[in-house]
Amino acid sequence: MAKVHVTTTINGEPMEFLCEPDDTMLDALRGPLALTGSKEGCASGDCGACSITLDDRLVCSCLMLAVESEGHEIGTIEGMAQGEKLHPLQQKFLEMAALQCGICTSGMLVASDALLKKNPDPTEEEVRFWLAGNLCRCTGYDKIVRAVMETAAEMRAQ
Amino acid sequence: MNLVTNNKWIGQRTIRPDGMDKVTGRAQFAADTTMPGMIWGKVLRSPHPHARIRSIDTSKAEKLPGVKAVVTSKDIVDFPVEKGAVMLGIQDMRWMCRNVMARDKALFPGHPVAAVAATTEAIAAEACKLIEVDYEVLPWSIEIEDAIKPDAPILHEFNKFDGKPSNIVGRLEHKKGDIAEGFKKADVVIERTFTTRPVHQGYIEPHACLISVAPDGKTTIWSSSQGQFMVRAMTAYLTGIPQSDIRAIPAEIGGGFGGKTIVYLEPLATLLAKKSGRPVKMVMTREEVMRATGPTSGSKSTVKIGATKDGKIVAAHGTFYLQAGAFPGSPIRGAAGCSFTPYDIPNLLSEGFDVCSNRSKVAAYRAPGAPIGAYAVECVMDEVAEALKIDPLDFRARNAAKEGTKAAHGPTFPRIGYLETVEAVKNSPHYAAPLGDGNGKLRGRGVASGFWFNAGGESSAQVNITEDGNVVVTTGHPDIGGSRAGIANICAELLGIDYRRVSVIIGDTQTVGFSNLTGGSRVLFASSMVVTQSTEKIIQTLRERAAKIWEIDPEAVKWEQGAAHPVSPNAGQFEPLTLKELADKAPAMGGPIGAGVQLNTAGADGGFGTHVCDVEVDVDLGIARVIRYTAVQDVGRAIHPGYVEGQLQGGVAQGIGWALNEEYIYTKEGKVDNPGFLDYRMPVCSDLPMLDCIMVEIPNPKHPQGVKGVGEVPLVPVMAAVANAIYNAVGKRFYALPMSPPKVLEKLDEPTRQAAE
Ligand code: FES
Ligand code: FES
């Protein structure tokens, strides 16, 4: 199979890469693009560890073809902090111990960020349903939900 | 976060040293690692539950362009069955060598039969399809009842039980007093039989490794595991490469819960790398994880408890049959040894039976065996309490093990905190709160207790002072849930410096002394012991250095708040010397400052917990939901409360999954039918409520910081707490897990059906 040339934007930067026509976006990110912050837990859209944004919409990068990123804007965990400054969600996850092994953390953060952009004042139930596509086996979700709620409150206060 | 400034770090919710890497996506997990020239390995797996392998022809696969190496069982060191056990930790290499690659027989669907390395993953997968295996398909059994039938197909002919070939491959018992005499004294005796299904540890990161073997045999392994030393040793045993030639580098680990305490891929990737001369990467798919790793045992247990009218247990008998999977080694010790341990029972017999059947070899899962046993025991405890009309917590308190109680598995307890956990539940806001109105759904509340042994064992640490006066701690245990944070807290506390000046790293096998697995709730217990002793040695050196500078006796120097001080004015009037100042002067005053300690740590006393759970049952749909949960545990001393709570909450969430939904489902062909996260239904965020924790802190007197293991206990009582709550809600007892909607509905329908019959 001949490789396909893709031109896209990743975390605000113009990017080009080559991929197989049937490579997923996750394959491309973790392979030629060397952005390994997005993780593969299932490759079937059930764990959320590979969560990214496509034109600000939350998607599972394992369920999207790499060629579909042509001309679109991709956001990954690597683009969440601004230089030395962590995103408030990242900071809160650290402070509130909202991670244990950390394998789900990139996906959780990308998904939580997408939620707060859409809904800056979510209820606990809204957080829980929004994050229902992101499995975490370590934390029991308690600290994650609390961290998202608290970040939302702080961001609203600013 | 407001950082405390009084240099008291133990008990503070500090930011973990590896946290920044993990929230920014920088952390290197095993599958994130690549190497120049790297190729990909894939495994060909048996489609049959039980089959003799007559021959394997790999010639077509070898000829496929891009294929660089093929290995079969011929390439793996054999440990002949008849020559007796070759133990490595708790694993027998005779089974490990056959588990990583089937030898004469394939024993479960998913059992590896060959492995291929090729320039791309796709070519490797294609090559696997070209390997021709001639199988003689054999009859098989999956469930315990089938595997112990007299005419059951036998997995291992050499194994005899009662003089006959059998799938019962092990038995142990714990005994105290005389149960026949004991039951005679009982006013109430209740006996029930329970079954549980196999459940998977469910770590989100699939197994992965990258391995490079140089022509001289020097081997480097990057892999996800709960112990780089275990990886090194097992890979060495199975490939014949000396341990000294293997450097096992621990990648960050994406969950394990016991499931990453053995190797699956590493020996295969090493052999492929050796044969091909290229670095080989192997990553399992989720389906491979579900078919061929873990899970923990399914089980069948019978528990009988007898008590007198005044609520004293006089006798108990437990029989626990646990599935081992394809090879011996189910956690009968945890089931038989832990389940009755919260109680002081004068007459007790607790038996465990290890049963092989044609499913993947079980791996440890959080307090292996104990949750299975506790589910049975704690449900019967509830029934006995009810029959005696005693509050279930009072019944537990009345029979609680305490200091001086001799546990059936051996030890006589020192001061333990079990009773305190029962009392804490009793006094908790949760237990006092009314259940409330379920809005058409039925609500109920249940309690249960649990115990886990905890463990010590081998641990090594090296603490070095940097030239700029900061600290690097190296230990040998993978950090699976925040142990680096606990170690930084302790080291900073002892040295009296800001914890951010302490960097904690996990050393690889060739840079730090032997350290046993991260497992059994042992890591912070063991590693903080060696870190403490290393740090104390450093403090001693620092005092000597200051004494030398001041020209006084080292005894006249004390270490406080990060600096050396003269003990009293008579010792002389000197300005304190800080760690930084002493580091500056190190070259002139005796050289580098560092200390290492290696110990076989002892004194890890068991851990106890008591949980309370509220459920709401939708009787139309059969859905049971946990609506409130409080886990109470004696945690010894919480070095980092945030991560201690995290262990409690994580364990509870896993238990709720086990209680309500999770199970391996098999097809008629004996294959796992739900090998993915969609159908193997682990709890998601919207399935759970907030999970409250109460940490009872009764410091372990045998540990310098009072540490007790905390990671395993939280899973032990959960299934029973949920089952007891469901009983309280619907008035029916469940004797089988999971209590999933179809099973709940079936149970709720029972009386109607009986009436109709
Ligand atoms: S890897 Fe994409 S959802 Fe699991
Ligand atoms: S922190 Fe381990 S899976 Fe979420």
Side-chain angles (χ1 to χ4, degrees):
Chain A
M1 263 188 295
K3 293 211 174 195
V4 186
H5 177 257
V6 179
T7 308
T8 181
T9 305
I10 298 182
N11 300 325
E13 304 284 343
M15 289 280 172
E16 291 174 61
F17 63 90
L18 290 178
C19 66
E20 300 291 342
D22 59 353
D23 276 352
T24 65
M25 190 66 215
L26 182 60
D27 293 332
L29 287 171
R30 296 180 53 80
L33 292 161
L35 292 169
T36 54
S38 306
K39 307 298 178 192
E40 179 170 316
C42 67
S44 58
D46 299 309
C47 76
C50 67
S51 299
I52 59 165
T53 55
L54 170 69
D55 299 334
D56 287 332
R57 206 160 52 85
L58 183 65
V59 296
C60 293
S61 59
C62 71
L63 290 187
M64 160 189 171
L65 290 173
V67 292
E68 290 180 285
S69 69
E70 174 76 38
H72 292 280
E73 304 229 356
I74 299 288
T76 74
I77 184 66
E78 285 89 350
M80 205 164 163
Q82 299 301 316
E84 285 190 326
K85 203 174 151 19
L86 291 183
H87 185 283
L89 276 164
Q90 292 173 309
Q91 185 62 33
K92 197 56 77 185
F93 268 53
L94 286 180
E95 287 169 8
M96 295 180 67
L99 66 150
Q100 280 164 37
C101 78
I103 197 82
C104 69
T105 309
S106 309
M108 283 287 179
L109 284 165
V110 170
S112 307
D113 187 26
L115 167 65
L116 298 190
K117 283 202 176 105
K118 246 175 104 90
N119 178 359
D121 190 10
T123 62
E124 182 194 329
E125 203 179 0
E126 284 168 337
V127 173
R128 286 189 178 275
F129 276 94
W130 183 269
L131 292 181
N134 289 76
L135 286 176
C136 174
R137 191 59 157 173
C138 300
T139 62
Y141 306 105
D142 183 296
K143 292 193 186 322
I144 293 174
V145 173
R146 285 181 205 277
V148 174
M149 305 278 296
E150 197 153 311
T151 310
E154 278 177 21
M155 285 173 74
R156 286 196 308 275
Q158 273 161 20
Chain B
M1 185 164 77
N2 289 328
L3 290 170
V4 280
T5 48
N6 59 356
N7 284 345
K8 289 285 181 205
W9 302 106
I10 289 177
Q12 294 298 323
R13 295 170 190 259
T14 53
I15 289 181
R16 61 197 276 173
D18 55 321
M20 188 64 80
D21 274 355
K22 287 182 176 160
V23 299
T24 55
R26 279 181 181 79
Q28 287 266 314
F29 293 84
D32 302 336
T33 317
T34 51
M35 241 195 138
M38 183 186 97
I39 58 174
W40 291 82
K42 273 272 158 211
V43 174
L44 174 69
R45 297 174 184 278
S46 164
H48 307 293
H50 198 183
R52 195 168 308 285
I53 299 172
R54 291 203 198 95
S55 66
I56 302 181
D57 181 355
T58 60
S59 55
K60 282 195 193 125
E62 275 156 34
K63 284 189 206 111
L64 187 72
V67 169
K68 299 293 170 195
V70 179
V71 299
T72 64
S73 63
K74 287 203 293 289
D75 301 285
I76 293 169
V77 177
D78 188 12
F79 292 86
V81 170
E82 56 287 354
K83 288 216 177 129
V86 180
M87 299 307 290
L88 212 166
I90 58 163
Q91 301 293 345
D92 186 336
M93 296 312 288
R94 293 179 301 170
W95 318 142
M96 288 306 297
C97 79
R98 285 165 175 73
N99 194 48
V100 297
M101 191 76 93
R103 295 196 83 82
D104 41 353
K105 286 207 290 186
L107 294 166
F108 61 94
H111 201 164
V113 292
V116 180
T119 47
T120 70
E121 229 181 329
I123 295 173
E126 193 55 41
C128 283
K129 291 191 204 140
L130 298 176
I131 296 174
E132 286 160 13
V133 187
D134 182 11
Y135 292 108
E136 176 196 341
V137 177
L138 303 170
W140 45 269
S141 53
I142 306 277
E143 305 300 340
I144 290 172
E145 300 80 63
D146 300 329
I148 61 177
K149 277 186 191 145
D151 59 345
I154 302 295
L155 275 75
H156 305 290
E157 284 295 338
F158 66 86
N159 178 69
K160 305 267 188 310
F161 191 79
D162 280 346
K164 287 191 280 296
S166 171
N167 289 324
I168 299 179
V169 289
R171 177 182 183 275
L172 69 72
E173 66 169 40
H174 294 298
K175 210 172 163 178
K176 217 180 134 182
D178 178 340
I179 54 167
E181 283 305 307
F183 279 119
K184 276 189 206 152
K185 294 191 200 118
D187 298 308
V188 167
V189 175
I190 289 179
E191 178 173 356
R192 299 283 180 242
T193 295
F194 299 81
T195 57
T196 69
R197 306 286 301 157
V199 291
H200 198 272
Q201 296 80 350
Y203 31 82
I204 306 299
E205 177 201 39
H207 300 257
C209 65
L210 169 63
I211 298 177
S212 147
V213 183
D216 65 355
K218 294 275 188 295
T219 301
T220 312
I221 301 177
W222 290 265
S223 79
S224 168
S225 83
Q226 290 176 243
Q228 61 275 39
F229 290 89
M230 173 278 299
V231 167
R232 178 177 75 175
M234 287 198 183
T235 306
Y237 271 67
L238 298 177
T239 61
I241 299 173
Q243 290 194 38
S244 52
D245 277 355
I246 302 176
R247 181 176 182 198
I249 302 176
E252 294 302 328
I253 169 170
F257 316 107
K260 291 178 184 167
T261 55
I262 60 175
V263 292
Y264 297 100
L265 300 175
E266 289 87 344
L268 308 183
T270 301
L271 291 166
L272 289 169
K274 198 170 164 212
K275 270 197 169 178
S276 65
R278 304 269 293 264
V280 172
K281 181 164 173 169
M282 292 181 89
V283 182
M284 280 193 197
T285 62
R286 177 56 48 183
E287 186 174 334
E288 287 180 292
V289 172
M290 295 301 286
R291 290 200 192 286
T293 73
T296 191
S297 311
S299 68
K300 184 168 180 158
S301 316
T302 301
V303 165
K304 180 175 170 186
I305 295 177
T308 52
K309 277 200 264 327
D310 61 344
K312 283 296 282 178
I313 300 174
V314 283
H317 183 196
T319 317
F320 306 97
Y321 282 86
L322 267 60
Q323 286 171 331
F327 298 100
S330 70
I332 46 178
R333 184 176 157 262
C338 289
S339 319
F340 292 105
T341 305
Y343 311 110
D344 186 356
I345 302 175
N347 304 294
L348 176 72
L349 176 60
S350 187
E351 304 168 271
F353 293 89
D354 190 15
V355 182
C356 277
S357 65
N358 296 103
R359 38 176 291 239
S360 58
K361 172 179 163 47
V362 298
Y365 180 23
R366 218 164 186 154
I372 292 170
Y375 163 57
V377 169
E378 294 294 310
C379 286
V380 177
M381 285 293 288
D382 226 47
E383 283 199 60
V384 177
E386 193 187 17
L388 293 169
K389 301 195 174 54
I390 301 177
D391 171 89
L393 287 176
D394 290 339
F395 182 53
R396 284 171 172 82
R398 221 172 280 186
N399 292 287
K402 39 187 135 0
E403 187 167 357
T405 301
K406 185 162 166 32
H409 67 277
T412 300
F413 283 127
R415 168 109 168 78
I416 54 172
Y418 174 53
L419 200 50
E420 285 81 348
T421 66
V422 176
E423 278 159 8
V425 169
K426 204 144 195 217
N427 300 327
S428 68
H430 183 164
Y431 207 65
L435 261 172
D437 173 26
N439 220 344
K441 295 177 191 143
L442 300 178
R443 288 189 171 183
R445 176 169 294 161
V447 298
S449 296
F451 166 82
W452 173 249
F453 308 114
N454 289 337
E458 300 100 323
S459 192
S460 304
Q462 176 69 34
V463 180
N464 288 326
I465 306 301
T466 59
E467 292 135 275
D468 59 357
N470 292 315
V471 186
V472 179
V473 181
T474 310
T475 70
H477 313 279
D479 176 359
I480 201 164
S483 56
R484 276 178 279 221
I487 291 167
N489 281 2
I490 287 171
C491 189
E493 182 79 50
L494 295 172
L495 283 169
I497 59 172
D498 190 293
Y499 86 99
R500 280 162 296 199
R501 290 174 60 192
V502 182
S503 152
V504 184
I505 64 160
I506 315 300
D508 66 61
T509 52
Q510 313 317 68
T511 58
V512 64
F514 180 79
S515 302
N516 217 326
L517 292 163
T518 293
S521 283
R522 58 176 296 274
V523 163
L524 198 63
F525 172 84
S527 61
S528 62
M529 214 178 241
V530 285
V531 168
T532 297
Q533 292 193 11
S534 307
T535 310
E536 280 165 354
K537 281 191 185 179
I538 283 182
I539 292 173
Q540 178 62 20
T541 307
L542 292 165
R543 286 169 56 214
E544 283 164 11
R545 297 277 169 100
K548 213 161 156 191
I549 292 166
W550 292 332
E551 296 179 331
I552 62 174
D553 190 81
E555 295 309 306
V557 180
K558 64 179 176 192
W559 187 263
E560 222 174 60
Q561 306 216 344
H565 302 260
V567 177
S568 64
N570 334 348
Q573 294 279 356
F574 303 106
E575 282 300 300
L577 278 166
T578 63
L579 180 60
K580 178 157 179 16
E581 287 161 337
L582 287 165
D584 273 346
K585 296 186 203 304
M589 303 302 301
I593 306 167
V597 167
Q598 303 180 307
L599 272 185
N600 194 357
T601 62
D605 287 331
F608 293 90
T610 302
H611 293 188
V612 50
C613 166
D614 292 357
V615 295
E616 194 169 87
V617 183
D618 182 324
V619 289
D620 297 322
L621 300 175
I623 297 172
R625 268 185 74 85
V626 173
I627 53 171
R628 185 169 183 179
Y629 204 101
T630 305
V632 181
Q633 191 171 317
D634 171 18
V635 301
R637 193 164 175 209
I639 303 298
H640 190 301
Y643 290 107
V644 173
E645 289 163 357
Q647 290 299 319
L648 268 57
Q649 292 164 335
V652 168
Q654 288 181 319
I656 292 173
W658 195 343
L660 296 179
N661 272 306
E662 292 180 37
E663 66 176 313
Y664 268 53
I665 297 167
Y666 288 90
T667 64
K668 285 200 189 65
E669 292 74 42
K671 263 180 114 158
V672 178
D673 202 18
N674 56 341
F677 283 144
L678 184 61
D679 299 317
Y680 181 86
R681 183 68 167 70
M682 294 181 349
V684 303
C685 201
S686 53
D687 292 328
L688 298 176
M690 292 297 187
L691 302 169
D692 295 329
C693 309
I694 300 173
M695 294 181 282
V696 173
E697 293 190 70
I698 294 167
N700 177 355
K702 295 183 207 133
H703 188 279
Q705 271 82 36
V707 171
K708 279 178 190 161
V710 297
E712 329 274 302
V713 178
L715 177 56
V716 183
V718 186
M719 285 80 77
V722 175
N724 289 339
I726 292 181
Y727 166 72
N728 186 242
V730 303
K732 305 228 158 153
R733 295 243 169 227
F734 285 76
Y735 298 108
L737 296 183
M739 296 171 283
S740 55
K743 311 234 178 87
V744 171
L745 281 182
E746 199 180 313
K747 191 95 188 172
L748 292 176
D749 284 348
E750 260 172 21
T752 338
R753 232 187 8 225
Q754 277 166 2
E757 271 162 11

